[in-house]
């Protein structure tokens, strides 16, 4: 591990829409690199399941739930790297939007990625989400158009969709020899070689001259590659404009420069399931995607006013690493680390800079191969490893004690659905608490809180499947049966206009009283504002002494947690205090906090508050004959059709639909389409609910409050 040159390390993720073939592709990569001896399918008849799907639930459902890390050595499809093979660290990520945090935290620590597309469906809704995540962290990528053996496969149409839907400068790097059931292999136009994949499992790569029937197409594709890469690479542009000949080495170097600079996306093709094209894709990972030293990572120096520091992938510098994933097993907490700078050894003392420089000792360290571990004593920059016995949460920065740096954490999306849960048997309460504690540490999008009024335990997450999986895991891993209430949508409240307030809080008791006066206004924040709540102090002339301002801020902070319409958090609001009054004896921070809470309620009433509901982007794919049924169902659920497209006798309907109307949709869709349709959904935005719906929600909230009040009496 320590002998591999840094320039020959690749840290990559494999991401895509659900059912695009990510896990199948990873299985082939592991087989061709010699990491496994047998290929197992995602829903294989042998009952073993794919290597990277280590959870029983993953194998039963045929989906990836947790991201899984592994590594492999690759010496090239025709032994061109054999003198010095490449070490490829791989993270296989889920495709289902409910587990999007697994993709988020994986892309945060990776240097490159493979974006997998279905050759028939092309760019789908989750492809767009994954691409947005890659752009957020500046991850260069290669696109692999998978399933070229499927009826309706179209390599060039997928490349065009990358340009149209994702805004990529997509460059098709190959010529596919046939498609659908006639797919034979791929041609590399850069140096004019045809690749065939022989043997029972495609393990024998046969390289030949380009077949005569593809010669002209190959020549045109090479010219197209030169022209398209020259648009985004100045060095190649000079040769292209000058009419000079471009060698294969010069063209490959230009492709690499442009890809790492995020100016282009190379597009390749193959069929992982049919064992074609994977080895050539591995060659491209090694020759196109960046090594750790070629990626700039920035830390903030906490001892120097958070000055930006560029981390160096140098083994002899001070250690800097990021904990990006936690996993609990029978031996304790396993913390996954990406090491950005320096070296760490077992027995070393490192500090958690995200937790006030808390010291931790490194007891044991492993390289991971799905759920299997290989113990190591040393890891260095560029490596992805797992440590036992280190207390951390996702996104914590760890460093050598000599420095105090922090890295930016990963983006964590808001939960969109909640359930009231409780253990079925009283005896299961202890395990119920342990399970919730563990799952909230492992998954930042899984949240738990106790409703103080009802006394219920509320779990929140990214969708029905997300919460179902955790309830099933409680039953299997903790022997704790769970009962759940009706799914509760995570509504929000906001205001639509400015609302003034001028509230005086007076209370006189036997001793000193309470006095505070708070004046100002509430106003809506712009729709594109980063923050959802903002407090502004505009008082002048000492109308309110500055020592009472924190009390006012605390009051507003508390008030926005629960709106008066239906009791959900208030977002998109700015609270401005511009005047007030105080009493020399009776004023206190607590008095101003109380005044701020009451002032907020006063201003809120006059600011025309509304209830907001989560709206989901829903993509339905069904045979064209069912288009009317699909559109009709979407309309019944208050959905707004964004786009419809037809290809190969299948219709794709993209719509925005309120989450509250989507419960039970999968059953209805299957019934209406004879089980032939599939759909995916992801959070799009918050939008005001219709007036009638809002009135109903407010009535339900008032009835609930009245019932709770009566129960207390």
């Amino acid at each position: 591990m320590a002998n591999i040159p840094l320039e020959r390390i690749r840290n990559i993720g494999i991401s895509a829409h659900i059912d695009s073939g990510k896990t199948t592709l990873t299985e082939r990569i592991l087989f061709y690199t010699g990491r496994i001896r047998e290929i197992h399918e995602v829903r294989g008849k042998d009952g073993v399941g794919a290597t990277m799907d280590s959870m029983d639930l993953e194998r039963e459902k045929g989906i990836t739930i947790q991201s899984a890390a592994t590594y492999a050595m690759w010496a090239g499809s025709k032994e061109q790297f054999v003198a010095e093979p490449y070490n490829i660290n791989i993270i296989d990520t889920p495709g289902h939007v409910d587990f999007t945090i697994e993709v988020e935290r994986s892309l945060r620590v990776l240097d490159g990625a493979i974006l997998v597309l279905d050759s028939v469906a092309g760019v789908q809704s989750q492809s767009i989400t994954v691409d947005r995540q890659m752009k957020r962290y500046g991850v260069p990528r290669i696109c692999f158009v998978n399933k070229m053996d499927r009826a309706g496969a179209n390599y060039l149409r997928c490349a065009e969709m990358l340009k149209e839907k994702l805004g990529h400068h997509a460059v098709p790097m190959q010529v596919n020899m046939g498609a659908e059931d006639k797919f034979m292999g791929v041609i590399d136009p850069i140096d004019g070689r045809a690749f065939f994949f022989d043997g029972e499992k495609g393990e024998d790569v046969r390289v030949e001259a380009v077949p005569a029937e593809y010669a002209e197409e190959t020549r045109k594709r090479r010219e197209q590659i030169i022209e398209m890469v020259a648009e985004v690479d100045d060095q190649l542009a000079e040769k292209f404009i000058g009419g000079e000949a471009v060698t294969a080495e010069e063209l490959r170097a230009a492709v690499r420069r442009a890809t790492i600079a995020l100016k282009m996306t190379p597009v390749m093709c193959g069929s992982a399931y049919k064992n074609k094209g994977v080895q050539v894709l591995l060659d491209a990972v090694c020759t196109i995607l960046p090594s750790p030293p070629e990626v700039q990572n920035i830390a903030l120096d906490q001892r120097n006013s958070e000055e930006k520091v560029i981390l160096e992938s140098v083994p002899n510098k001070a250690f800097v690493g990021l904990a990006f994933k936690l996993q609990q097993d029978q031996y304790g907490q396993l913390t996954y680390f990406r090491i950005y700078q320096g070296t760490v050894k077992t027995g070393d003392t490192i500090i958690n800079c995200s937790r006030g420089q808390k010291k931790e000792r490194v007891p044991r360290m492993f390289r991971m191969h799905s759920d299997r571990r290989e113990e190591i004593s040393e890891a260095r920059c560029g490596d992805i490893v797992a440590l036992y016995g280190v207390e951390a949460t996702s996104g914590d920065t760890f460093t050598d004690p000599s420095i105090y740096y922090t890295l930016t954490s990963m983006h964590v999306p808001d939960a969109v659905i909640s359930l009231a849960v409780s253990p079925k048997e009283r005896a299961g309460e202890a395990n119920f608490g342990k399970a919730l504690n563990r799952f909230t540490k492992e998954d930042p999008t899984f949240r738990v809180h106790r409703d103080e009024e009802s006394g219920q335990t509320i779990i929140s997450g990214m969708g029905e499947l997300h919460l179902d999986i955790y309830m099933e895991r409680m039953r299997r891993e903790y022997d704790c049966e769970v009962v759940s209430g009706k799914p509760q949508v995570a509504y929000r409240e906001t205001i639509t206009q400015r609302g003034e307030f001028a509230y005086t809080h007076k209370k006189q008791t036997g001793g000193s009283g309470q006095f505070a006066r708070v004046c100002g206004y509430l106003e809506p924040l712009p729709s594109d504002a980063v923050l959802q709540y903002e407090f502004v102090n505009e008082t002048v002339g000492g109308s309110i002494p500055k020592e009472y301002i924190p009390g006012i801020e605390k009051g507003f902070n508390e008030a926005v947690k629960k709106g008066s319409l239906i009791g959900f958090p208030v977002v998109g609001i700015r609270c401005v205090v511009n005047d007030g009054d105080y009493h020399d004896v009776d004023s206190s921070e607590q008095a101003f906090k109380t005044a701020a809470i009451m002032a907020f309620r006063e201003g809120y009433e006059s600011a025309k508050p509304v209830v907001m509901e989560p709206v989901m982007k829903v993509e339905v794919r069904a045979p064209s004959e069912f288009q009317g049924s699909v559109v009709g169902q979407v309309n019944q659920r208050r959905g707004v059709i964004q786009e419809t497209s037809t290809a190969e006798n299948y219709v794709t309907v993209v719509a925005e639909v309120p989450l509250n109307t989507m419960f039970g949709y999968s059953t209805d869709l299957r019934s209406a389409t004879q089980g032939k349709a599939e759909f995916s959904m992801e959070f799009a935005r918050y939008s005001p609910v219709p007036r009638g719906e809002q009135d109903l929600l407010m009535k339900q909230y008032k009835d609930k409050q009245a019932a709770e009040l009566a129960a207390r009496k």
Side-chain angles (χ1 to χ4, degrees):
M1 185 172 177
N3 297 326
I4 300 164
L6 276 167
E7 62 272 12
R8 288 188 174 262
I9 292 176
R10 298 290 181 270
N11 291 313
I12 65 163
I14 299 179
S15 302
H17 186 89
I18 192 167
D19 282 340
S20 295
K22 299 175 300 301
T23 303
T24 303
L25 175 60
T26 310
E27 190 80 1
R28 298 312 187 270
I29 289 173
L30 296 177
F31 177 72
Y32 297 134
T33 55
R35 288 294 288 144
I36 57 175
R37 296 186 178 182
E38 285 295 326
I39 292 174
H40 299 290
E41 303 303 343
V42 172
R43 298 177 191 263
K45 293 175 184 175
D46 57 10
V48 176
T51 305
M52 302 303 278
D53 286 345
S54 58
M55 287 173 64
D56 290 341
L57 268 170
E58 291 179 314
R59 290 172 175 172
E60 285 171 26
K61 291 181 177 289
I63 62 170
T64 302
I65 293 169
Q66 290 187 332
S67 56
T70 186
Y71 71 96
M73 305 299 294
W74 180 240
S77 58
K78 291 305 286 180
E79 301 183 347
Q80 66 260 48
F81 314 138
V82 75
E84 283 189 281
Y86 283 78
N87 174 52
I88 306 175
N89 294 314
I90 305 164
I91 298 182
D92 176 34
T93 63
H96 202 289
V97 70
D98 284 21
F99 311 107
T100 190
I101 188 63
E102 295 289 332
V103 186
E104 194 79 42
R105 58 182 165 197
S106 299
L107 291 174
R108 168 65 185 84
V109 299
L110 293 169
D111 302 325
I114 299 172
L115 174 63
V116 184
L117 296 185
D118 183 312
S119 64
V120 180
V123 174
Q124 296 168 273
S125 61
Q126 190 63 9
S127 316
I128 297 169
T129 302
V130 167
D131 180 68
R132 191 164 58 240
Q133 291 168 321
M134 290 179 182
K135 286 174 180 170
R136 181 180 293 135
Y137 301 115
V139 179
R141 78 224 60 164
I142 294 170
C143 178
F144 182 66
V145 178
N146 193 22
K147 302 189 178 184
M148 283 297 294
D149 57 300
R150 278 189 67 189
N154 193 323
Y155 169 50
L156 294 180
R157 185 170 69 86
C158 288
E160 194 60 32
M161 287 178 81
L162 279 170
K163 182 180 177 183
E164 290 172 1
K165 292 197 171 186
L166 301 181
H168 286 218
H169 186 65
V171 182
M173 300 296 293
Q174 295 173 327
V175 172
N176 56 297
M177 291 186 282
E180 303 179 352
D181 57 350
K182 295 185 175 62
F183 180 60
M184 297 180 294
V186 296
I187 295 169
D188 180 353
I190 292 180
D191 49 15
R193 296 185 299 169
F195 292 83
F196 299 88
F197 305 90
D198 301 332
E200 185 188 347
K201 295 167 183 169
E203 65 270 30
D204 298 324
V205 181
R206 176 163 49 95
V207 182
E208 293 189 356
V210 176
E213 64 266 34
Y214 292 104
E216 181 61 19
E217 188 179 351
T218 301
R219 184 189 65 77
K220 287 181 179 175
R221 185 64 48 79
R222 190 180 196 276
E223 289 176 359
Q224 181 189 32
I225 293 170
I226 293 171
E227 187 176 339
M228 293 181 78
V229 177
E231 289 177 27
V232 291
D233 183 79
D234 292 341
Q235 289 184 43
L236 190 67
E238 284 183 25
K239 293 207 118 192
F240 178 68
I241 293 167
E244 299 176 47
V246 178
T247 66
E249 290 72 25
E250 288 170 337
L251 185 48
R252 289 192 195 284
V255 167
R256 187 166 201 269
R257 283 193 302 270
T259 303
I260 292 174
L262 303 175
K263 292 178 179 177
M264 69 166 273
T265 302
V267 186
M268 308 183 74
C269 68
S271 169
Y273 185 66
K274 295 290 184 180
N275 311 311
K276 289 180 170 65
V278 178
Q279 296 96 319
V280 183
L281 174 66
L282 275 170
D283 291 347
V285 165
C286 298
T287 56
I288 295 176
L289 292 180
S291 63
E294 292 173 297
V295 178
Q296 188 181 86
N297 292 290
I298 295 172
L300 303 175
D301 188 348
Q302 298 300 323
R303 289 176 181 156
N304 195 13
S305 305
E306 294 198 344
E307 185 181 333
K308 290 183 178 180
V309 179
I310 296 173
L311 299 179
E312 297 178 56
S313 292
V314 180
N316 56 7
K317 284 262 186 179
F319 164 74
V320 180
L322 183 75
F324 67 94
K325 176 179 165 67
L326 310 181
Q327 196 172 311
Q328 198 84 14
D329 62 16
Q330 65 267 38
Y331 305 112
Q333 181 175 295
L334 197 61
T335 306
Y336 286 73
F337 273 85
R338 163 67 199 268
I339 302 172
Y340 287 101
Q341 180 177 284
T343 304
V344 64
K345 300 176 183 176
T346 52
D348 282 358
T349 296
I350 56 178
I351 61 167
N352 186 336
C353 295
S354 303
R355 297 285 177 272
Q357 294 185 283
K358 184 173 179 282
K359 287 187 178 181
E360 297 279 354
R361 187 175 168 276
V362 180
R364 299 179 74 190
M365 190 158 43
F366 301 88
R367 292 193 86 177
M368 299 301 295
H369 176 48
S370 187
D371 60 339
R372 294 189 284 281
R373 305 162 186 77
E374 297 168 12
E375 189 156 0
I376 55 173
S377 58
E378 178 181 315
R380 61 174 191 160
C381 49
D383 289 331
I384 292 174
V385 295
L387 276 62
Y388 261 129
V390 173
E391 193 61 34
T393 56
S394 290
D396 285 359
T397 304
F398 285 78
T399 69
D400 183 272
S402 64
I403 57 175
Y404 188 10
Y405 293 171
T406 56
L407 292 153
T408 54
S409 188
M410 65 280 297
H411 168 75
V412 179
D414 288 333
V416 296
I417 184 172
S418 301
L419 278 178
V421 293
S422 60
K424 194 173 185 180
E425 308 287 340
R426 196 166 181 81
E429 286 184 1
N431 280 352
F432 179 68
K434 284 180 190 173
L436 292 180
N437 186 45
R438 171 189 160 189
F439 295 152
T440 49
K441 282 187 77 175
E442 285 184 3
D443 182 352
T445 59
F446 179 75
R447 288 147 186 162
V448 180
H449 75 275
R450 184 174 173 81
D451 188 310
E452 295 302 330
E453 291 184 1
S454 65
Q456 292 177 309
T457 299
I458 310 294
I459 59 173
S460 305
M462 302 306 295
E464 284 181 280
L465 178 63
H466 189 208
L467 300 184
D468 284 346
I469 290 291
Y470 277 115
M471 287 191 288
E472 181 65 16
R473 285 183 66 186
M474 282 184 218
R475 186 180 70 79
R476 294 185 185 208
E477 297 171 30
Y478 288 88
D479 193 25
C480 176
E481 287 279 356
V482 175
V483 291
S484 61
K486 179 184 178 293
Q488 172 64 64
V489 172
Y491 290 104
R492 295 288 182 266
E493 297 184 26
T494 192
I495 57 174
T496 56
Q497 66 178 37
R498 179 168 161 146
E500 307 277 345
F501 57 80
Y503 186 81
T504 304
H505 173 62
K506 270 186 196 174
K507 194 171 182 183
Q508 197 63 47
T509 53
S512 61
Q514 289 185 28
F515 178 86
R517 179 172 170 78
V518 177
C519 304
Y521 58 90
L522 309 177
E523 66 179 3
L525 283 169
S527 57
D528 59 349
V530 176
L531 297 172
Q532 289 298 303
Y533 160 71
E534 196 177 303
F535 170 72
V536 180
N537 173 27
E538 290 184 354
T539 57
V540 291
S543 55
I544 301 175
K546 63 182 179 182
E547 63 264 28
Y548 297 142
I549 298 299
I552 297 173
E553 187 169 2
K554 284 176 190 172
F556 284 133
N557 284 341
E558 192 170 306
V560 297
K561 288 177 183 173
K562 197 170 183 180
S564 58
L565 296 181
I566 59 170
F568 276 84
V570 180
V571 297
I573 190 167
R574 179 183 287 124
C575 305
V576 181
V577 177
N578 54 23
D579 199 5
D581 200 3
Y582 70 102
H583 188 276
D584 290 331
V585 177
D586 292 348
S587 288
S588 64
E589 186 174 314
Q590 182 59 44
F592 273 98
K593 179 182 173 183
T594 306
I597 293 171
M598 302 310 293
F600 178 88
R601 291 175 186 170
E602 182 183 286
Y604 194 62
E605 291 299 318
S606 61
K608 290 199 175 173
V610 293
V611 176
M612 308 277 281
E613 64 183 345
V615 174
M616 312 302 284
K617 182 180 181 184
V618 179
E619 184 175 296
V620 190
R621 194 165 180 273
S624 298
E625 63 199 271
F626 299 112
Q627 181 170 354
S629 301
V630 169
V631 171
Q633 284 192 339
V634 168
N635 289 334
Q636 284 171 6
R637 287 174 156 75
R638 292 198 282 120
V640 178
I641 307 287
Q642 303 287 309
E643 110 185 46
T644 57
S645 57
T646 307
E648 309 296 338
N649 296 321
Y650 265 78
V651 64
T652 301
V653 177
V654 180
E656 288 191 345
V657 190
L659 175 63
N660 193 37
T661 66
M662 287 299 291
F663 298 120
Y665 177 63
S666 55
T667 306
D668 292 349
L669 181 66
R670 278 196 291 268
S671 301
T673 60
Q674 300 170 13
K676 295 177 182 176
E678 58 185 36
F679 84 99
S680 62
M681 88 178 168
E682 61 177 318
F683 175 74
R685 59 194 170 81
Y686 271 96
S687 179
V689 302
R691 187 73 206 180
E693 183 90 6
Q694 178 167 315
D695 291 343
L696 180 63
L697 289 168
M698 289 170 66
K699 182 180 182 303
Q700 290 171 348
Y701 177 59
K702 283 174 184 169
D703 291 347
K704 179 186 168 191
Q705 283 184 311
E708 286 166 356
L709 186 63
R712 282 200 290 269
K713 287 180 180 176

